[in-house]
Amino acid sequence: MKKNGLFVWIVLAIACSSLLLMTSCAKKQIGAGPAEGTEQAAAQKEGGTPGDAGYADREKQRQAELEALRQKQLEIEAFESVNIYFDFDRSELKSDAQIALKNKAMWLEKNPEYGVRIEGHCDERGTNEYNLALGERRANAARDFLASLGISSDRIRTISYGEERPADPASNEAAWSKNRRDEFKLFK
């Protein structure tokens, strides 16, 4: 009986120690904090949680900064979405192009950290060499107009793509009129 009792105690001791080992090795994260990627985790990384003093102010500031970034992105998209167009075989700025360039100049004045790359384009008629030169004249016409409005020439770059990047690949007057253009890309 003593041997059986001793055996039971040994078995119980082994079972208890095994149970302790298994539970202590389990990957529990009790009190480890919020899951990565959650709003609470972000708040803790920024030095606070919703209950902390000043958290509401920091959260308002963060929201305001995000809104300002969204607004700036919308402004950039609006700036870049407005192209100017040219008549066939011409590089002179039409009145609607001058209005668009005046608006771009005003935006550039308010945002001096940005520069603009003007991309000159042509329709498919004419030789590659001729269209590259015409695209350059078109980009330079826009550059010169922006410079005349006070935009520093070191903030303006030009490039001609000639007929290589058509907005509309069709071969008709409607497509050609879309392809005779300057596009504007902002850079910092």
Side-chain angles (χ1 to χ4, degrees):
M1 180 94 161
K2 279 188 170 185
K3 282 188 177 183
N4 281 344
L6 184 61
F7 179 74
V8 170
W9 281 106
I10 291 174
V11 169
L12 281 173
I14 291 173
C16 287
S17 62
S18 296
L19 186 60
L20 282 172
L21 281 174
M22 287 192 306
T23 58
S24 66
C25 291
K27 294 185 177 184
K28 294 181 184 175
Q29 293 189 1
I30 299 172
E36 186 71 28
T38 64
E39 194 172 318
Q40 192 176 6
Q44 283 184 346
K45 283 184 180 178
E46 291 176 11
T49 58
D52 291 346
Y55 173 79
D57 291 338
R58 288 190 303 276
E59 184 62 19
K60 284 180 185 176
Q61 180 181 357
R62 188 177 74 80
Q63 290 298 325
E65 289 170 357
L66 284 174
E67 184 56 34
L69 285 174
R70 280 188 217 110
Q71 182 62 35
K72 183 61 72 177
Q73 186 60 38
L74 289 173
E75 288 178 18
I76 290 170
E77 289 171 8
F79 183 100
E80 292 182 342
S81 70
V82 177
N83 299 330
I84 61 171
Y85 297 90
F86 296 87
D87 290 328
F88 173 69
D89 200 28
R90 310 299 290 178
S91 59
E92 293 81 21
L93 298 173
K94 297 191 272 186
S95 61
D96 59 337
Q98 292 179 10
I99 292 168
L101 289 169
K102 286 177 184 177
N103 290 333
K104 290 181 184 298
M106 287 188 317
W107 192 90
L108 288 166
E109 285 175 1
K110 293 177 187 173
N111 297 277
E113 69 275 18
Y114 288 93
V116 63
R117 183 180 72 232
I118 305 169
E119 302 174 346
H121 298 270
C122 301
D123 63 38
E124 65 191 37
R125 297 173 290 178
T127 66
N128 285 340
E129 295 80 18
Y130 182 82
N131 285 336
L132 282 171
L134 180 57
E136 184 176 354
R137 287 194 305 274
R138 289 174 174 170
N140 289 341
R143 178 201 61 203
D144 294 345
F145 192 81
L146 287 173
S148 75
L149 296 173
I151 305 303
S152 173
S153 60
D154 62 341
R155 294 175 60 201
I156 306 170
R157 299 178 187 159
T158 61
I159 188 167
S160 174
Y161 290 112
E163 64 190 68
E164 299 302 316
R165 295 184 178 187
D168 187 337
S171 289
N172 56 48
E173 186 53 46
W176 294 331
S177 66
K178 292 177 192 172
N179 294 334
R180 298 187 301 257
R181 71 196 187 281
D182 279 346
E183 292 185 4
F184 301 83
K185 306 296 184 206
L186 293 169
F187 64 87
K188 277 191 170 186

